[in-house]
Amino acid sequence: MNYDLKPELVTSDLGWPEGPTVMPDGSVVFVESYRSQLTLVGKDGKARQFAYVTGAPNSCVLGSDGALYVCQNGGTVGPWRAAEMTLPSIQRVRPGGKPEILVSEVDGVKMNGPNDLVFGPDGTLVWTDPGTYNPANPDPSYIYALSPDGRASVKVAFPAPTFPNGVVVEADGSIVWDESYTGHVCRLKTDGTIEDLGRMPGKNPILDGMAIAKDGSLLVTDLVGEGFHVLARDGTPKGFVRTGGCPTNLAFDGETLWVTDASVLASSAEPNYAGRLWRLTFPGGGAPTYKGSIGMEAKA
């Protein structure tokens, strides 16, 4: 099934936009990796700096404390390197404020490049850490969690690099992620077992962001597929939504679905500012968004 949905262009000239989150007033904040910042787009459709965070932020999510929690990969987008590199970490930042590093290593393992993050229903912050995208010489792959009291833990230590990328947490606490290297979507169930939901359609799917629809369907962006897959909860493909470009991440606000689009693949050491933000109406809308906050001192 091909969903006949019509994306509306909201703003353009963005520097690798990813990881959108919806603010209480309906505005959207997302990262611009090439600009080392979080960017806000309000009802006027104009993009403005929300906070400078150095390095290359990969995703952000709104906490219940009003702060933005950020996956900071350190300063890479493919072969590009930021003018001001920083420590791969989870950051916390408020409008116009300086980023605070919450955690940069877990159980003695230093992060290689956090990518995407989400709060679960119990307020736990979950994130993927695939490192730098380099299939020829991949970094180790991990999924971590940070509980509200600031205690960090390893949720998945992958035996071989898969580049776990987009991540969501379902209502029962199961963690679902997609893998850029393998094209698969997987689930860590609450009993600790891992379920492979299968490889996405297409000759070479390179998966990125994820979101959950109200009916439990999984939305998975495909950088080379120029759109996003819609899957039943068991992984059965339900259809595909074409957006064009190079869609990175998604975020629901009711039936409004925000989609960040990098426009081109990250294959150059030079930054590209052709990124776009799209808005479309997705029938039925999204699942509830969970929020949480982390204690002032994170503990590895």
Side-chain angles (χ1 to χ4, degrees):
M1 173 182 176
N2 282 319
Y3 290 80
D4 186 22
L5 306 180
K6 305 298 183 184
E8 172 194 356
L9 180 63
V10 177
T11 193
S12 57
D13 303 321
L14 304 175
W16 196 271
E18 289 207 72
T21 190
V22 180
M23 304 298 282
D25 64 356
S27 60
V28 180
V29 175
F30 51 90
V31 306
E32 282 192 84
S33 301
Y34 285 140
R35 289 190 167 103
S36 303
Q37 72 178 35
L38 306 189
T39 298
L40 181 144
V41 172
K43 293 181 179 180
D44 61 3
K46 295 181 179 179
R48 55 185 64 85
Q49 186 182 88
F50 181 88
Y52 176 74
V53 296
T54 72
N58 256 121
S59 185
C60 65
V61 66
L62 177 65
S64 58
D65 55 357
L68 274 292
Y69 291 77
V70 180
C71 273
Q72 171 59 259
N73 75 33
T76 70
V77 181
W80 174 83
R81 296 296 180 269
E84 188 175 358
M85 300 290 286
T86 191
L87 190 66
S89 61
I90 299 299
Q91 299 173 319
R92 176 166 52 199
V93 65
R94 297 183 184 277
K98 294 182 178 180
E100 167 194 7
I101 292 178
L102 292 181
V103 61
S104 61
E105 64 177 65
V106 181
D107 292 346
V109 179
K110 293 183 179 180
M111 296 180 203
N112 288 306
N115 193 289
D116 194 22
L117 77 173
V118 64
F119 280 106
D122 64 351
T124 296
L125 186 66
V126 177
W127 71 96
T128 54
D129 182 14
T132 302
Y133 188 87
N134 185 358
N137 184 26
D139 291 322
S141 296
Y142 292 93
I143 296 177
Y144 296 116
L146 196 58
S147 63
D149 66 3
R151 295 189 180 276
S153 61
V154 178
K155 301 301 290 185
V156 183
F158 293 80
T162 66
F163 207 93
N165 198 324
V167 63
V168 293
V169 180
E170 297 174 308
D172 69 350
S174 297
I175 299 169
V176 185
W177 68 92
D178 59 35
E179 299 176 351
S180 298
Y181 290 161
T182 71
H184 282 246
V185 175
C186 299
R187 173 184 288 118
L188 176 65
K189 300 166 70 174
T190 55
D191 64 5
T193 60
I194 293 179
E195 178 182 14
D196 186 352
L197 301 182
R199 187 177 186 270
M200 294 302 95
K203 183 178 180 180
N204 180 36
I206 300 179
L207 309 181
D208 199 330
M210 294 190 70
I212 305 177
K214 187 176 182 179
D215 66 359
S217 297
L218 301 168
L219 279 55
V220 184
T221 64
D222 189 334
L223 296 175
V224 298
E226 299 186 357
F228 60 88
H229 304 275
V230 182
L231 316 176
R233 192 172 182 273
D234 66 0
T236 302
K238 295 176 64 176
F240 188 79
V241 177
R242 180 175 172 78
T243 60
C246 190
T248 53
N249 285 101
L250 322 106
F252 274 108
D253 182 14
E255 287 198 331
T256 297
L257 181 65
W258 296 94
V259 182
T260 49
D261 168 18
S263 187
V264 297
L265 292 173
S267 58
S268 173
E270 295 299 317
N272 181 285
Y273 297 100
R276 297 169 290 191
L277 178 68
W278 300 94
R279 176 173 55 206
L280 55 85
T281 299
F282 190 89
T289 299
Y290 304 113
K291 292 184 175 67
S293 63
I294 306 300
M296 292 304 293
E297 295 185 5
K299 309 171 185 68

